[in-house]
Each structure stands twice: as structure tokens, then as C-alpha cells.
Amino acid sequence: MDEGLSRRDLRIPDAGRGQVVGLYGGSFNPPHEGHLLVAERATRRLALDAVWWLVTPGNPLKDHGDLEPLARRLAAVRKLGAGPHHRATAFEAAYRVRYTADTIRIARARSPHLRFVWIMGADSLTGFHRWQDWEEIARSVPIAIIDRPGDTLSTLSSKFAIRYARFRVPEHEAADLAYRKAPAWTFLHGARTAMSSSTLRDLRRG
């Protein structure tokens, strides 16, 4: 077992049959108010029963030099997202998962009674086409993109947005997204914060 992690930390969260769950993955190094804003907006606008914060062992596309231990990041996510709809898990570590496509396969296989929506900040979508099996992800689960400062135009001109333009769900129909057959995606506008994990790490070093 990974150091500092319990069996509970490594389990896939429980949820009732037919519930709608948002999958929100990231390093969360560290988690901050911008992450919480994304999770809470997704919960409201997508009519989610829960958000699973998937705290990853490490993003293959990022430098791990400043990566805090997984147990510490998981605890920080639980402290930040303390509301009843939030569930933090490190189950990817138990399955030795490195890629989001594999995470989604496992979640769907282990919890076939749930409806899933993948949640991501707009800052992640511009590079989404570099993710392993990104088109499989798009075909597997509906996707909700949450606006982030400075990323609106680049997001909507991204390779993903162009390729899947005809599958975009109008924002006013976002509550139905989980019931749409993938590919299906929506872009949610709203209040934004410029806070980022890299800014917080710089402040800590300073």
C-alpha cells in the first residue's frame, strides 16, 4: 500500500444506483479555490449527485519535481472540498493507472449503475488532444468544460472543440449532459479565479 494511504483512500467511492457523478481528475498540487469553484459549478449546473476528486499519483504530461506526496494532496483535497457532494479518492494508485482513459474504463466497469461526466477546467482542454486515447475518452463519457481565466477563446478553438463541434450541448441544457450519449460536451461560463497550483507553489518557495 502507498505510504500514508488507507484502504479507504484507495477504494472507488460508493454511490446509489442511477446517481450522476462528476469525475474530476488532477494532481491538485496543491488544491485551491479555483479547483473548488470548478467542482461546485459542475455540481450545480450539471445536477450532479456527487463529484469524485480523482487525486492522481502523477500526471504523465507534467514535471513531478515539485509533486507533494499523494497522501498529503488527498488530505488537502478533503479539507478543501468538505461538502456533502465531494468525494476524494486515490483509487488510481491502487490500480496503477497513469492515463485518464484507463481511469474512466475502470470507473465504468466497477460502477456500471452510475452515470458519469468528466469535468475539466478550460485550461486543460487546449492540450487535451495530447492525452493518451483522448478520442476514446470523448466517445466514452460526456465532458463538461468549466471556464478559466484567459482560456475561453483558446479552448473553443482547440482541436477537441473543432473536431466535436456538432456534439456540443447548449449551456442551458447542461443539466441533461449526463443523459446524452457520448460524444457530448458543454462549456460552462461563470465566475472565475486566477488562482493556480503553480502560483501557490511559487508563493510557498518565495
Side-chain angles (χ1 to χ4, degrees):
M1 184 180 298
D2 291 65
E3 185 176 353
L5 295 173
S6 68
R7 293 185 185 279
R8 168 181 170 251
D9 296 333
L10 298 170
R11 285 202 305 260
I12 294 176
D14 295 325
R17 181 172 297 277
Q19 287 194 337
V20 180
V21 173
L23 299 176
Y24 186 25
S27 301
F28 303 115
N29 186 45
H32 54 74
E33 290 298 324
H35 293 132
L36 185 61
L37 189 66
V38 167
E40 293 189 336
R41 180 171 304 141
T43 300
R44 290 193 312 272
R45 301 288 298 280
L46 303 173
L48 302 178
D49 294 295
V51 173
W52 293 357
W53 297 61
L54 310 176
V55 186
T56 67
N59 186 330
L61 297 178
K62 291 184 178 180
D63 180 8
H64 294 176
D66 290 330
L67 193 63
E68 291 286 333
L70 179 55
R72 189 177 302 172
R73 289 182 282 124
L74 185 66
V77 166
R78 286 190 175 133
K79 183 177 180 180
L80 177 69
H85 297 289
H86 301 286
R87 307 281 188 276
T89 175
F91 84 77
E92 289 177 318
Y95 287 88
R96 305 299 178 190
V97 171
R98 293 190 66 219
Y99 299 111
T100 295
D102 295 320
T103 298
I104 292 172
R105 289 188 202 108
I106 292 168
R108 295 179 71 204
R110 301 287 291 183
S111 303
H113 57 290
L114 303 179
R115 292 183 179 273
F116 291 112
V117 176
W118 184 259
I119 301 166
M120 67 169 71
D123 51 328
S124 297
L125 194 66
T126 52
F128 184 52
H129 61 281
R130 292 194 293 271
W131 292 22
Q132 183 83 8
D133 298 327
W134 69 280
E135 290 180 291
E136 179 185 334
I137 296 171
R139 293 191 301 266
S140 298
V141 65
I143 297 173
I145 298 100
I146 315 298
D147 201 8
R148 289 278 289 152
D151 289 295
T152 305
L153 293 178
S154 59
T155 296
L156 297 179
S157 61
S158 68
K159 188 171 182 177
F160 168 88
I162 293 170
R163 178 163 300 185
Y164 293 99
R166 67 190 180 95
F167 299 104
R168 184 177 177 183
V169 174
E171 192 168 353
H172 67 273
E173 298 178 12
D176 298 328
L177 183 66
Y179 300 91
R180 304 289 184 105
K181 182 180 179 180
W185 64 283
T186 195
F187 188 94
L188 301 180
H189 296 83
R192 300 177 296 179
T193 174
M195 181 56 68
S196 69
S197 294
S198 58
T199 299
L200 284 175
R201 290 196 299 271
D202 290 342
L203 289 172
R204 288 177 177 179
R205 283 194 293 265

